[in-house]
Amino acid sequence: MAVQRWDPVRYARNARFVAELGMPVVELLHPQPGERILDLGCGDGALTEKLAAYGCHVVGVDNSPEQVDAARARGLEAYVMDGQQLTFTNEFDAVFSNAVLHWMKRADDVIAGVWRALKPGGRFVAECGGAGNIRTIQTALYTVLGRRGIDAAAVNPWYYPTPEEYHQRLTAGGFRVTYIALIPRPTLLPGDIADWLDTFAESFLSVVPAAERAAVIEEIRALLRPDLCDAHGQWIADYVRLRFAAVKPAA
Ligand code: BEZ
């Protein structure tokens, strides 16, 4: 059974860059003091804290109890909740989300929940992986698992929409889209690609027999090195962001 766990210590070590690179989305949100904002997929609260620093009242939700505990340890209000089943009604000025929506395949349920959570005139501002995101890494995962007779597509937890597709979904969900773009963002990783795989690709690695996992990671590294590792041994992942802003029309 494919699993992806979020260990706050591992996440802080290997994924701090996710929040650090999220500031352009915060700027697109343009938070105003006093606004009530939902951080959808708040993780350990690193960006939620930044929103709170604008003087906003921020509520974080995440489906990982460990990450919610880490967010609460920062003094933030945070709850365990599936982003595909949001339970809020008409109470937020904005819903913000960074690097999370691509983990939720039921995009229409996410959009419907966000729409319900917003007040009329409220904004939905987010960034996630978009079409072509980490294509090189995903291809290597498929290839190496395929060599062992494992169907990687069956355990792939990611959804990378095009701007056209997500625009259509937002519009069908009642939003007016004010901005949407696909932004290639090659991303310098803080360490080895093996750490990235350990942190983010658990759904794939967990279906490999434990005794073969180290060899699988080594094979993936070997496939990726020519494309993603530079002359100084630094790994650069082929991230592509889908960034958008949309408004729930006022009545
Ligand atoms: C992303 O932020 O695009 C991403 C992160 C981890 C795994 C897959 C995608």
Side-chain angles (χ1 to χ4, degrees), residues 73-246:
R74 294 176 188 263
L76 297 164
E77 182 179 348
Y79 303 98
V80 179
M81 197 180 290
D82 180 349
Q84 299 167 130
Q85 298 180 67
L86 293 174
T87 58
F88 305 100
T89 306
N90 232 9
E91 58 179 283
F92 291 100
D93 298 295
V95 175
F96 168 87
S97 183
N98 179 54
V100 169
L101 298 179
H102 54 261
W103 293 96
M104 300 177 198
K105 288 192 166 171
R106 285 162 43 208
D108 293 333
D109 291 340
V110 175
I111 290 168
V114 170
W115 196 91
R116 264 194 315 274
L118 286 169
K119 300 174 188 169
R123 337 196 276 293
F124 181 20
V125 177
E127 182 174 296
C128 61
N133 193 42
I134 59 158
R135 180 172 282 145
T136 317
I137 301 175
Q138 183 168 300
T139 301
L141 281 161
Y142 275 48
T143 301
V144 175
L145 265 61
R147 286 176 189 161
R148 284 164 173 79
I150 299 170
D151 178 10
V155 294
N156 185 343
W158 303 322
Y159 161 66
Y160 299 133
T162 61
E164 293 75 20
E165 176 186 340
Y166 216 79
H167 189 294
Q168 196 276 329
R169 288 185 187 278
L170 286 164
T171 305
F175 283 98
R176 183 169 54 82
V177 179
T178 56
Y179 170 84
I180 191 159
L182 196 63
I183 304 166
R185 194 201 65 195
T187 300
L188 178 64
L189 300 181
D192 197 277
I193 193 73
D195 298 327
W196 189 96
L197 292 166
D198 180 50
T199 306
F200 293 118
E202 207 171 350
S203 302
F204 298 92
L205 297 177
S206 65
V207 295
V208 173
E212 290 176 44
R213 245 169 251 162
V216 161
I217 290 173
E218 210 34 61
E219 282 178 45
I220 295 169
R221 286 183 84 239
L223 280 181
L224 293 177
R225 189 178 291 111
D227 291 321
L228 300 186
C229 190
D230 71 11
H232 308 287
Q234 291 185 311
W235 288 88
I236 297 156
D238 52 341
Y239 278 61
V240 177
R241 314 322 288 163
L242 178 69
R243 190 181 296 164
F244 63 85

Side-chain angles (χ1 to χ4, degrees), residues 10-35:
R10 180 177 69 174
Y11 193 83
R13 190 174 58 238
N14 298 326
R16 183 52 57 229
F17 69 92
V18 174
E20 286 168 1
L21 296 175
M23 285 313 287
V25 206
V26 174
E27 283 155 24
L28 184 62
L29 173 66
H30 203 49
Q32 300 298 308
E35 281 191 323

